[in-house]
Amino acid sequence: MSASKRAVVLLSGGLDSAVALADALHNGYECGALAVRYGQRHAAELKAARRVAHSLGVPFKVVRIDLRAVGGSALTDRIDVPKGRSPRDMERGIPVTYVPARNTIFLALALGYAETIGAADIFIGVNALDYSGYPDCRPEYIAAFEAAANLAVKAAVEGRARFQIHAPLIDMTKAEIVRRGLELKVDLSLTHSCYDPDADGFACGRCDACLLRKKGFAEAGAPDPTQYAERE
């Protein structure tokens, strides 16, 4: 396959990134999956990412950094993960689960990896509808990063590549993402969304990520295969 059809896909192990990977494969890209161990309290997602990559037959790489040194987030610091918030609460402001500059860091890592392997396309599973209000999930941010990428790397400056950041789920609801995943035959039981799983890796069922996941499956009319710590 030509380098023009080679892509790096940021794979967190969650529902959205798994469907983004499947979408890239469906559209004919030769993919490499990139996950980041950044000191997140929900590191169970990395096991899920490996499972998803293996199930889809995609090479898998993990980059390790430590954003706990930066702090400022319930996912990396000693801050409680919000639980049981209503949809209206989730729409108000930016929650403490926001990790400062996370997507900027992830995309920069993916950009470096893409240039190294001769890829010009990067896929990320961000979503700007059913999400928790993160500023680095918005279309204008993705467009701005793409513009910066093409000013920042040797391959672009020398005219050998034009980098594109693909966010195929950005204007989908969570229900639409579930349906798209099922259409692409992704094993959604392999994915993990919870911000605060228990010691055995079971999802809490009450954090924003769990509630949005439940909402997506319910509205899609599909059974949620997630194993929750709190049975309902």
Side-chain angles (χ1 to χ4, degrees):
M1 185 171 289
S2 68
S4 64
K5 290 295 288 185
R6 191 175 295 156
V8 171
V9 181
L10 283 163
L11 185 65
S12 70
L15 172 66
D16 297 352
S17 68
V19 176
L21 172 57
D23 185 85
L25 292 168
H26 177 74
N27 283 289
Y29 286 91
E30 178 186 348
C31 298
L34 183 68
V36 184
R37 181 184 289 275
Y38 61 93
Q40 64 268 52
R41 67 194 301 165
H42 57 310
E45 69 175 5
L46 294 170
K47 294 180 181 178
R50 188 177 297 276
R51 292 194 300 264
V52 169
H54 178 75
S55 73
L56 294 174
V58 170
F60 180 70
K61 178 184 287 288
V62 178
V63 174
R64 290 170 173 80
I65 57 176
D66 194 352
L67 295 184
R68 290 175 297 184
V70 174
S73 168
L75 302 189
T76 58
D77 213 335
R78 294 180 179 178
I79 301 171
D80 290 339
V81 173
K83 301 287 180 71
R85 298 207 305 159
S86 69
R88 179 170 293 183
D89 288 338
M90 291 186 206
E91 293 171 359
R92 294 174 178 166
I94 300 171
V96 294
T97 50
Y98 163 72
V99 180
R102 179 176 60 180
N103 281 346
T104 303
I105 294 166
F106 286 8
L107 283 168
L109 291 170
L111 178 63
Y113 184 39
E115 187 175 26
T116 299
I117 66 173
D121 295 88
I122 297 169
F123 282 76
I124 183 170
V126 293
N127 172 260
L129 293 182
D130 284 340
Y131 76 125
S132 294
Y134 301 150
D136 52 4
C137 289
R138 297 174 298 161
E140 52 267 46
Y141 167 75
I142 297 299
F145 188 93
E146 180 177 293
N150 283 289
L151 294 172
V153 297
K154 180 180 179 182
V157 172
E158 293 180 345
R160 292 183 287 108
R162 174 71 188 175
F163 289 88
Q164 286 189 283
I165 312 299
H166 303 263
L169 316 181
I170 200 158
D171 59 356
M172 289 186 180
T173 66
K174 196 67 75 175
E176 289 171 334
I177 294 169
V178 170
R179 293 190 192 104
R180 180 61 174 159
L182 295 174
E183 177 186 338
L184 294 173
K185 303 188 184 307
V186 180
D187 184 350
L188 300 180
S189 71
L190 301 178
T191 65
H192 175 94
S193 300
C194 182
Y195 289 150
D196 193 24
D198 68 12
D200 296 317
F202 292 114
C204 73
R206 298 181 59 242
C207 68
D208 289 2
C210 282
L211 294 175
L212 289 170
R213 183 182 177 104
K214 288 180 180 181
K215 176 177 179 285
F217 276 99
E219 292 180 354
D224 181 357
T226 307
Q227 292 184 301
Y228 292 104
E230 297 181 6
R231 301 298 175 182
E232 299 177 352

